[in-house]
Amino acid sequence: MAANTPTPRRRFLLKGLGLGVAGVGALVVGWGMLPPRQRLHGSVPLPVKDGAVALNGWLALRPDGTVLLAMPRSEMGQGVHTALAMLVAEELDVPLASITLMQAPVDKIFGNLAMLVDGLPFHPDDDGRLKQLAQWTVAKAARELGVVVTGGSSSVKDGWQPMREAGACARAMLVAAAAAQWHTPASQCRTENGEVVHLDGRRAGYASLAQRAAVLDPGAPVLKSPLDFKLIGKPIARTDTPSKTNGSAVFGIDARPPGMLYAALHLPRRLGDTLSSFDAPAALAMPGVKKVLDLTPALGQQRVSCAAVVADTWWRAKQAAATLPTQWRAGAQSNLSSADVYAGLARLLDAEAGHTYHASGKVDSKQVQAMRHVTAEYRAPFLAHAAMEPVNCTAQVRDGKVRLWVSTQAPGIAVDVAAKVAGVASGDVSIEVLLLGGGFGRRLEVDMVAQAVAIALQCEGAPVQLIWTREQDTKHDMYRPAALARFSARLDAQGRIAAWDNKSASASITHQYLQRNFGLPGMGPDKTTAEGEFDMPYEIANQRIAHVIADSLVPVGYWRSVGHSHNAFFKESFIDELAHAAGQDSVAFRRAMLVKHPRHLAVLDAAVAKAGSAPPGHAHGVALHQSFGSIVAQVAQVSVESGEIRVHRVVCAIDCGLAVNPNIIAQQMESSVLFGLSAALGGEITFKEGRVEQGNFHDYPVLRMGQAPHVETIIIASAAHPEGVGEPGTPPIAPAVANALFILTGKRLRSLPLRLG
């Protein structure tokens, strides 16, 4: 699969998207009024072989009647390969087991529109014309950009329309072909189980109709009514489970092209240091070592100064890289400490007003200012991604062509950076996207691709597999940003929130990401910094929510649930503080502010009712949060045992719109809770003298099986458009646990990770 080189138009559109709503609106007002282009047919026919017949840009029929589905989204454990295949199987009327996945080309019809549209900084309650125009325009821009990417809990949301249309269109073509063959009206035919069936009982398998169907124009696709769904909404078992349990599943690290060599890195001990020299002969004298390389000049925007060792086994490469004698020049970050980071954020909050993401009423009116005042400051640390599969990429550069085998969330960006490093056109790069052993946003980055290609360039055409160590992954991540948030609220005589003022500070992931991966300067506000703060559902008349972007010497990146991951902790903890200050039950306090938000209220009530009463010695903490279009409430049952925090049970209710596969939704809620709980109880990256202090799971712990709570998921029935599932379960768990701990101990923990001592 190949991608086209980023054009000036693509860069122009990306810059426009970076300007924010006003910039986008001014950029393309007239153009934006035109309808978006179709997503059914690609720029070139779907590449198929062995007698398969393509019916549109998404699917083809094989001679044996099975269906080939072009899959543009990466499977990293979230179940999208099953859920998206269900959409096509439903509309095409074929068994799910008959669908085989092929890798989608990097074609613009596969670009992720929903992810970019969801990046607009509008409040969920806003239904104004500006929001509608901006969403329409950004969807059109995203269609032109065609960025093939998996992230933002957007895969099903984005695929809901085009993938169903692909199946419905193919079904109509097959019905038309059968009707023509039988000389009968199409209205007398129906489909079931991969066949067209006539009223008189005649049947024709799809494969026998494919050639005739491929030349027919069925007109606009007609989608099934939800009342006719046979697969969508059912708890179908995941199709990738058998291969992952019998060991046949192929992840990035499993790539084994013939003649492959292995590479390991020697990375700086301190952030930002630059390699000045190394003793290559010492490493070359070690068994199996083929080459010792300085990668610094080749990496460009993906630059992290480093050396690489190539050997006949990875262990030999790793041993040689670890003992390679090197000299380094100190960078600007050489004395960086965590204390410096937080002090810098505090200074920004003291000095700057920041960008106001949402304001209503009169926070500063004299009447409001005279009311009871409650303030608090919260903070959250840098976090690593800590995916189970180590960072890796396999690359081959031969005869002016580049081949990649990689676990990535961003194949189009991976192709572009590989082309740039190798000095070839993007059309000369092919990529095989393999299964991801966890992504969480880390594999939206392509630094490992740039490094692998830079190494392969100097290996005489041999494929090379680069693997990072766990310590390198922990110490050289693109981290979830550290953040500091200040809250100021006023309570009226009845204990209601009369005014809410919130200002936070953190680095901008989007600014850094655009610079690293597109060479574009970061500019304007970044929704991810304030999401989960400015877009809360609580009905508070007077609100002001602002954020200050901090320049960061630490590289930051997208982390599962992004800004929601810490902003939910800040917001939901402070809500509990206010409930306590008002002398009210925390659930009743929230309910009173959700009168105009029945979906949120239903989710909260469902979780609380299911949780019941906490056992003796335990306490229930509650949190409610909306992210990626889905509303989640969690009740955490917590105890303190021998000074240790123990979470026994989590009840999680979610309204994610129509539940495509309830089984996968429940799995993702469990996964999100455990991921968020790992961060809440132990996740922290700290810096001292420019160095990351953590290195492996002994000092950057993830939840062990014996610590995992029982998670019960309630899915609220809905007919609304499907929303995100992969990330929304993560944000509420930290505040739910913190709120339970306050009940148990009387201590209000305002910093993550949660520590009693």
Side-chain angles (χ1 to χ4, degrees):
M1 140 175 133
N4 49 335
T5 304
T7 62
R9 176 179 177 83
R10 181 178 176 185
R11 288 179 173 272
F12 177 67
L13 286 169
L14 279 166
K15 287 181 180 179
L17 290 172
L19 288 172
V21 179
V24 172
L27 179 69
V28 284
V29 171
W31 168 72
M33 297 307 294
L34 299 174
R37 290 199 292 150
Q38 55 80 29
R39 296 180 69 187
L40 194 57
H41 300 285
S43 56
V44 295
L46 192 64
V48 293
K49 55 184 179 180
D50 299 329
V53 178
L55 298 183
N56 53 54
W58 293 82
L59 57 88
L61 285 172
R62 286 170 160 166
D64 62 0
T66 57
V67 180
L68 272 176
L69 170 61
M71 178 54 66
R73 302 292 174 252
S74 301
E75 178 60 70
M76 47 190 165
Q78 79 279 42
V80 294
H81 281 186
T82 301
L84 293 176
M86 286 173 64
L87 303 182
V88 173
E90 179 68 76
E91 293 290 349
L92 189 55
D93 274 336
V94 296
L96 183 60
S98 72
I99 292 185
T100 301
L101 304 184
M102 63 173 285
Q103 188 171 319
V106 180
D107 193 289
K108 289 182 178 180
I109 65 168
F110 303 118
N112 192 329
L113 277 59
M115 184 174 173
L116 292 185
V117 172
D118 286 350
L120 289 167
F122 287 102
H123 195 285
D125 293 344
D126 185 350
D127 59 359
R129 289 285 296 165
L130 177 59
K131 179 178 179 180
Q132 294 170 14
L133 175 61
Q135 289 179 328
W136 178 263
T137 304
V138 170
K140 280 178 57 60
R143 172 65 177 84
E144 299 305 313
L145 288 169
V147 179
V148 179
V149 64
T150 305
S153 296
S154 61
S155 293
V156 171
K157 183 174 182 176
D158 183 74
W160 176 250
Q161 189 75 14
M163 298 189 82
R164 289 177 64 208
E165 286 181 350
C169 179
R171 170 167 46 86
M173 294 164 72
L174 292 161
V175 168
Q181 179 175 302
W182 294 333
H183 304 289
T184 187
S187 60
Q188 295 183 6
C189 304
R190 60 182 175 84
T191 55
E192 67 176 21
N193 204 33
E195 294 181 316
V196 180
V197 183
H198 191 268
L199 288 175
D200 64 12
R202 282 177 289 177
R203 292 176 176 267
Y206 284 174
S208 69
L209 301 167
Q211 291 288 352
R212 181 191 289 264
V215 298
L216 298 178
D217 181 2
V222 179
L223 301 178
K224 282 186 179 181
S225 163
L227 297 175
D228 297 325
F229 287 165
K230 298 182 180 70
L231 282 175
I232 292 175
K234 302 296 190 296
I236 307 295
R238 283 175 50 168
T239 56
D240 57 344
T241 299
S243 65
K244 288 180 175 177
T245 52
N246 66 25
S248 62
V250 180
F251 294 82
I253 204 169
D254 298 323
R256 291 294 182 272
M260 188 177 77
L261 298 173
Y262 294 85
L265 298 180
H266 186 105
L267 290 163
R269 292 186 177 89
R270 293 185 307 191
L271 217 60
D273 282 7
T274 302
L275 182 65
S276 56
S277 66
F278 57 84
D279 185 0
L284 288 168
M286 298 179 72
V289 174
K290 308 291 186 184
K291 291 181 179 292
V292 183
L293 307 169
D294 182 358
L295 300 188
T296 307
L299 297 181
Q301 293 161 201
Q302 295 293 333
R303 179 176 179 177
V304 173
S305 186
C306 59
V309 175
V310 181
D312 56 359
T313 71
W314 184 74
W315 182 253
R316 285 176 165 176
K318 173 185 177 297
Q319 293 296 97
T323 58
L324 180 67
T326 56
Q327 298 293 323
W328 298 84
R329 291 189 299 272
Q333 303 98 316
S334 60
N335 293 314
L336 182 71
S337 71
S338 293
D340 294 336
V341 172
Y342 288 118
L345 295 177
R347 285 194 297 271
L348 282 175
L349 290 179
D350 290 339
E352 297 190 21
H355 175 77
T356 299
Y357 280 85
H358 180 69
S360 62
K362 298 179 179 179
V363 173
D364 297 320
S365 71
K366 290 183 179 180
Q367 181 182 2
V368 168
Q369 291 296 308
M371 296 178 184
R372 184 180 175 189
H373 194 200
V374 181
T375 63
E377 182 175 282
Y378 286 81
R379 77 180 199 182
F382 293 104
L383 291 176
H385 294 83
M388 289 294 101
E389 181 187 8
V391 170
N392 68 88
C393 178
T394 304
Q396 181 179 32
V397 183
R398 186 172 63 187
D399 301 328
K401 306 287 186 182
V402 180
R403 292 188 67 188
L404 300 173
W405 298 261
V406 63
S407 303
T408 181
Q409 295 174 244
I413 299 173
V415 164
D416 286 347
V417 76
K420 185 171 184 179
V421 172
V424 302
S426 293
D428 292 323
V429 180
S430 63
I431 183 170
E432 186 171 345
V433 179
L434 302 171
L435 294 172
L436 285 63
F440 315 127
R442 178 62 180 93
R443 285 173 167 85
L444 286 168
E445 304 291 345
V446 292
D447 50 332
M448 72 294 288
V449 176
Q451 293 161 353
V453 172
I455 296 167
L457 268 171
Q458 302 187 57
C459 288
E460 294 78 45
V464 181
Q465 185 173 94
L466 169 67
I467 303 175
W468 289 29
T469 66
R470 174 62 58 189
E471 288 76 13
Q472 288 171 338
D473 191 11
T474 305
K475 292 180 177 294
H476 294 275
D477 203 346
M478 279 70 167
Y479 303 100
R480 198 280 306 274
L484 193 67
R486 290 175 180 168
F487 292 85
S488 171
R490 302 281 175 170
L491 297 176
D492 65 17
Q494 289 74 41
R496 297 171 301 200
I497 303 176
W500 175 282
D501 198 356
N502 167 210
K503 185 168 63 171
S504 56
S506 67
S508 167
I509 298 170
T510 302
H511 287 185
Q512 283 202 17
Y513 191 85
L514 286 172
Q515 177 61 46
R516 274 197 302 269
N517 296 295
F518 295 100
L520 298 172
M523 60 183 75
D526 174 4
K527 177 197 172 185
T528 68
T529 60
E531 61 188 5
E533 291 179 325
F534 81 90
D535 44 5
M536 64 177 178
Y538 298 121
E539 296 148 13
I540 303 168
N542 303 295
Q543 296 185 37
R544 181 171 57 209
I545 297 97
H547 184 271
V548 183
I549 290 178
D551 292 333
S552 176
L553 296 174
V554 178
V556 295
Y558 298 104
W559 189 92
R560 190 175 189 174
S561 74
V562 203
H564 292 284
S565 65
H566 48 82
N567 290 333
F569 169 67
F570 302 158
K571 179 259 296 180
E572 284 297 291
S573 295
F574 190 57
I575 286 286
D576 250 49
E577 286 204 53
L578 295 176
H580 178 72
Q584 298 182 29
D585 172 77
S586 63
V587 175
F589 191 71
R590 287 176 170 84
R591 292 187 88 256
M593 296 186 291
L594 296 171
V595 175
K596 298 177 182 177
H597 292 79
R599 291 179 69 181
H600 296 77
L601 190 57
V603 171
L604 177 62
D605 286 348
V608 171
K610 180 69 173 178
S613 300
H618 295 202
H620 279 169
V622 177
L624 172 71
H625 193 75
Q626 180 174 352
S627 61
F628 306 96
S630 293
I631 306 160
V632 176
Q634 290 176 1
V635 180
Q637 181 183 319
V638 181
S639 70
V640 176
E641 301 175 0
S642 302
E644 296 294 321
I645 301 167
R646 180 69 192 273
V647 182
H648 302 269
R649 177 189 181 210
V650 177
V651 176
C652 178
I654 178 171
D655 181 343
C656 57
L658 191 148
V660 172
N661 187 325
N663 180 50
I664 291 175
I665 294 169
Q667 290 176 359
Q668 284 305 293
M669 291 307 101
E670 293 165 8
S671 166
S672 294
V673 166
L674 300 186
F675 190 85
L677 198 53
S678 292
L681 298 182
E684 184 178 30
I685 291 293
T686 56
F687 292 86
K688 184 178 180 180
E689 296 178 349
R691 301 186 182 192
V692 174
E693 295 187 283
Q694 293 71 31
N696 209 316
F697 290 128
H698 69 285
D699 53 11
Y700 190 81
V702 296
L703 215 63
R704 271 40 176 188
M705 290 181 68
Q707 299 171 298
H710 176 59
V711 180
E712 301 171 48
T713 300
I714 305 164
I715 302 171
I716 305 297
S718 174
H721 193 290
E723 298 288 351
V725 169
E727 296 167 275
T730 292
I733 188 60
V737 174
N739 293 338
L741 288 170
F742 177 74
I743 297 171
L744 288 169
T745 67
K747 295 180 180 179
R748 182 62 66 181
L749 303 181
R750 299 190 180 96
S751 296
L752 291 173
L754 301 170
R755 295 188 177 119
L756 294 175

